[in-house]
Amino acid sequence: MDMLVKLYELKRDPALDERMTSQGVTIRRVLVPELPALTSWIEPRFGAGWAAEATAATMRQPTTCFIAIQAGELIGFACHEATAKGFFGPTGVDQAARGKGVGHALLLETLLDMHAQGYPYGVIGGAGPMDFYRKSVGAIPIEGSDPGIYRGMLSLAHPSEISS
């Protein structure tokens, strides 16, 4: 199910920013030359579909894909404008980094960027952890939105299904 967020009500969270700083986590836009590293990190953890969406977001100018880095290593990402205008996602955090505020920091940075680009509202497409989005940014469910824009999406071809 999709969720809706009032972007015009969001503010930076100094405590969250300090938490990221104290953990040595940097949140920033991905650079286009980092795309191969980004997609090779995303695909085994979250699948080829999310890697494709992150590619689309990275190829925008300015890029609409943000990354979290700790000790020089990628630990998470979040995108907007990947599959549809006004849509947040995909987003993912490495299992070892979950529960430390990284996902919240990525979410907030990405949604604030959406607002800076002129959106008053944002849609969280196919929101998985709905309680997280509700608590973090006040997102509300959009009734009747499942499967939403992903309805009828093609399955990824498996090597055995490719004709020679």
Side-chain angles (χ1 to χ4, degrees):
M1 179 177 294
D2 297 338
M3 298 184 83
L4 187 68
V5 181
K6 296 178 190 175
L7 300 177
Y8 56 84
E9 290 188 349
L10 294 180
K11 306 278 186 262
R12 293 210 73 78
D13 182 341
L16 183 60
D17 291 342
E18 175 55 35
R19 187 175 177 194
M20 292 302 99
T21 299
S22 71
Q23 293 177 47
V25 175
T26 301
I27 308 287
R28 67 166 174 82
R29 290 181 197 274
V30 71
L31 298 172
V32 172
E34 295 173 310
L35 182 59
L38 176 66
T39 56
S40 68
W41 184 87
I42 293 171
E43 191 162 347
R45 289 168 178 81
F46 304 105
W50 283 18
E53 287 180 297
T55 298
T58 300
M59 299 311 294
R60 293 184 173 282
Q61 290 298 324
T63 181
T64 57
C65 186
F66 291 82
I67 55 175
I69 301 168
Q70 186 178 46
E73 297 293 322
L74 182 61
I75 61 169
F77 78 104
C79 304
H80 71 90
E81 306 289 299
T83 297
K85 290 192 172 289
F87 263 61
F88 167 83
T91 185
V93 174
D94 189 80
Q95 215 165 10
R98 292 180 190 163
K100 299 176 181 178
V102 176
H104 187 185
L106 281 163
L107 171 67
L108 192 55
E109 190 69 31
T110 307
L111 293 178
L112 288 169
D113 188 59
M114 289 177 72
H115 186 252
Q117 290 191 30
Y119 290 102
Y121 298 94
V123 175
I124 300 173
M130 293 178 74
D131 284 338
F132 166 74
Y133 292 120
R134 190 176 292 115
K135 290 175 188 172
S136 298
V137 294
I140 59 170
I142 301 173
E143 295 303 324
S145 63
D146 187 26
I149 66 168
Y150 300 101
R151 181 182 324 263
M153 189 169 73
L154 296 173
S155 297
L156 295 176
H158 298 284
S160 63
E161 297 172 355
I162 298 173
S163 59
S164 48

